[in-house]
Amino acid sequence: MSTILRSEPLAPECGVTVHDVQLAEAEGETLDAIRQAVFEHGVAVFRGQSLSPEQHIDLAKRWGGIDINNYFPLTDTHPEIAVVRKAAEQQTNIGGAWHTDHSYDQVPAMGSILVARTLPPKGGDTLFAHMGAAYDALDEDTKREIEDLEAFHTADHVYKEGGIYARTDIGGELRGQDLQTGATHPVVVRHPRTGRKLLYVNPSFTVTIVGRSREDSLPLLERLFAEARNPDHHARVVWEPGTVAIWDNRTTWHNALNDYQGHAREMHRITLTGEKLAA
Ligand code: SIN
């Protein structure tokens, strides 16, 4: 834990809650300490925040660059902000399965800053899984087996015309159905800032092990996914008005729970620019 930040673990292996920081003002060594906490713990939660859309954008710019999301609706006034919205009458939510944002990009986004704007009375929590903890828990034979492997990631089956979202009641709101995506990354990457080994495959976007068919890839992928699904590696972010979470896509998976039917939920997300990943 940082000596600059007052913080406590969110769960034994994943996440941290940071106290006494107003993100609208965070800069310098405070922002450096927050970055380090996010890189190590995967997700950092901040309560009692008051971030206007402009302050949200300024914070993301102070962090580094912004990647504009190609699929989610954007706010009319601030195209840097993607809207993660489910209306009371909709059944499907965005991000309601374990995934790592943008793993289908050759240079995947570093992470996101998510601001709670409208919350259901109960539910709508977001689960995070620590992929360093998941890697560490693999048996030595599996670690050797995956050491030099690469995997192929794409979002085409999710966002394209006829894809997973197009068959749901949020399909009409999404953009980018004409885009084609695809990237290969090592199955195990080293975190570019902490050096920790991380399992870098996820059930939503990783479709094959390079050099193998989908059918031949699935047994190994499912074995790796099963370790990451172990709740020992997880943390739960319970949203309240004023909660902001910042997460690292390399260190974590996340899953937005869809257990609030009949109520609206709206979150504002800015995606932070990342760097190319290596084993
Ligand atoms: C996402 O970015 O996948 C959505 C996260 C959330 O709505 O909690």
Side-chain angles (χ1 to χ4, degrees):
M1 294 276 163
S2 154
T3 50
I4 292 176
L5 298 178
R6 191 167 75 81
S7 62
E8 72 211 8
L10 193 58
E13 296 186 0
C14 184
V16 66
T17 302
V18 177
H19 303 283
D20 307 334
V21 166
Q22 275 304 318
L23 288 168
E25 290 148 22
E27 57 186 359
E29 63 178 14
T30 303
L31 192 56
D32 287 342
I34 293 171
R35 280 194 193 91
Q36 195 57 30
V38 171
F39 296 156
E40 283 173 18
H41 301 283
V43 56
V45 175
F46 303 82
R47 305 289 185 190
Q49 302 296 309
S50 165
L51 272 186
S52 67
E54 291 77 15
Q55 288 169 324
H56 190 183
I57 293 166
D58 286 347
L59 172 65
K61 286 184 175 161
R62 288 199 299 284
W63 185 289
I66 295 176
D67 279 5
I68 300 207
N69 185 278
N70 288 325
Y71 299 108
F72 302 170
L74 303 175
T75 62
D76 293 338
T77 46
H78 302 93
E80 298 89 343
I81 298 178
V83 181
V84 179
R85 176 172 48 217
K86 183 178 175 230
E89 61 280 7
Q90 286 175 317
Q91 300 296 310
T92 310
N93 69 335
I94 292 177
W98 283 115
H99 65 285
T100 303
D101 295 335
H102 293 230
S103 73
Y104 45 80
D105 288 337
Q106 207 59 55
V107 180
M110 177 259 128
S112 283
I113 304 174
L114 192 69
V115 178
R117 296 292 182 203
T118 303
L119 292 171
K122 198 155 73 67
D125 302 344
T126 308
L127 302 181
F128 287 84
H130 198 293
M131 302 311 290
Y135 174 79
D136 290 349
L138 295 172
D139 62 68
E140 292 307 315
D141 284 347
T142 304
K143 285 182 181 164
R144 267 191 296 277
E145 181 183 350
I146 61 178
E147 194 168 284
D148 296 318
L149 296 181
E150 291 193 318
F152 180 71
H153 303 239
T154 178
D156 293 359
H157 57 292
V158 178
Y159 293 109
K160 265 194 177 296
E161 213 173 300
I164 291 172
Y165 278 128
R167 299 194 294 267
T168 72
D169 59 353
I170 56 168
E173 287 177 35
L174 298 179
R175 303 173 299 117
Q177 280 82 359
D178 51 335
L179 295 175
Q180 195 155 5
T181 57
T184 55
H185 305 289
V187 168
V188 181
V189 300
R190 271 197 193 271
H191 192 285
R193 302 307 164 102
T194 67
R196 185 166 179 183
K197 283 188 169 184
L198 309 163
L199 198 52
Y200 195 72
V201 287
N202 69 86
S204 294
F205 301 124
T206 313
V207 289
T208 54
I209 301 290
V210 171
R212 299 187 195 175
S213 66
R214 170 86 175 144
E215 198 187 5
D216 289 345
S217 301
L218 275 177
L220 175 58
L221 287 176
E222 287 299 345
R223 206 147 38 91
L224 302 177
F225 297 159
E227 187 54 64
R229 286 196 177 101
N230 178 344
D232 287 353
H233 312 315
H234 297 175
R236 175 184 283 255
V237 174
V238 180
W239 298 93
E240 298 164 4
T243 301
V244 175
I246 306 179
W247 71 79
D248 184 323
N249 285 324
R250 294 78 56 94
T251 313
T252 56
W253 285 358
H254 59 280
N255 180 1
L257 298 182
N258 187 11
D259 56 356
Y260 52 96
Q261 296 301 354
H263 298 281
R265 180 178 183 271
E266 182 168 318
M267 316 294 272
H268 283 185
R269 194 179 102 180
I270 296 185
T271 308
L272 302 162
T273 304
E275 54 218 288
K276 190 160 170 49
L277 300 175

